[in-house]
Amino acid sequence: MKKTILLFVLLALVYCTQNPLFLNETYTTGLINIGKASDIFYWHFESRRNSTADPLVVWLTGGPGCSFELALFLENGPFTVNDNQTLDNNPYSWNTQANLVFVDQPVGTGFSKAANDELVRNEDEVAEDFYAFLLGFLQQNPQYIGKPLFLTGESYAGHFIPAIGAELVKQKNPKINLQGLVIGNGWVTPKLQNPAYGTYAYQNKLISGLQYYTFTKPVLATCEALISINAPLSLTNAVCGLGYQSIVGFNQTPKFNVYDIRKQCLGSLCYNMTNLDNFLARDDVKSALGVSGRTWQECSDTVYVALSHDEIVNLANKVAYVLDSGVKVLVYSGDQDFQCNYLGSLAWVNEMEWTKQEEFKNAKFEEYIINGKSAGQIKSAGILQFFRVYQAGHQVPMDQPEVALAMINKFISN
């Protein structure tokens, strides 16, 4: 049954402000009510170049249930957090040539809140909630009505972005001018991306050939088969998890950083988030953001569990639908990431059924040159591009900020 969404929007417009705490970056924040007792928090930054002329770029973090603040402060937002709880300017922020909006979604993520009966359970509900959020955002920020819109994000946003993009295309709302989707190291087609764990691990010497051929590859092939026949989720998860753990180990801490195989795993997300955790716990910070009394968390287990049946769903058909409607798509993937590695990403993009599938599969890779150096390889057909980013992990804007900024600016300006 389609979930009923009640949208309540503040009648007053939201005005941009500046605050020395946030290095006088021009920004707004807001809460858009979704349903009876839930809301979605956003943080919007005006373009550093020309807010009137530049497009609107929306960023979604994955998880599911992980907060956008992780990306904002560690990847492509205007700041980074120092040990002494001050901020430094990020010259490679994605609001260099775009109006940038970070969104804590689904409901219950980050500073957003959710009633238990309003947690999303599938991507249709994710898309419905986001459409309601976007209408509320545009009411609070009417300067962006009809402005070229690009949806971007990484990791489990590979599920969110296709679903939301397809919903926006379907709605045909003249206020929403969707121009492109950008999926970074995304989890899109589990049937194809699970087997890639073994291939990637073997090619990068994370496991031996003996282990790959005698155990990991057969187990992951069984995982693929179980997904294909829609086997019971408990069985599928057990088998797929066994193949994955045969590579990363069976301890709570993986043998290596699954988001960057060159590094060790430190902490629950394999990176030290102490500075960010402490900064977002400060009362003055929460007051400035308009979320006083709320508690921030990196990732919500509640949101994750609510979407547990969603993980093995294939979202490539939604990407194809968006492409065939005329909306361009960029898929990029850092080649040092294990979690959503580039081999799995390339597999789902190649196998996606759309009008130019064969042309894309047969397209040749070309070097992607930035400032006279090769930053990776790219291939394309029509309005679809796939970009393998050299020497970058799961968080490409963190590992290769100059490359990521050049990539997004080129995509949104074409």
Side-chain angles (χ1 to χ4, degrees), residues 159 187-195 227 311-315:
H159 265 44
W187 186 250
V188 180
T189 306
K191 175 185 171 182
L192 299 176
Q193 290 182 265
N194 269 294
I227 294 174
E311 185 174 349
I312 63 170
V313 176
N314 175 23
L315 270 294

Side-chain angles (χ1 to χ4, degrees), residues 277-288:
D277 292 338
N278 292 338
F279 183 77
L280 292 176
R282 285 168 42 180
D283 288 339
D284 61 330
V285 172
K286 289 192 283 188
S287 176

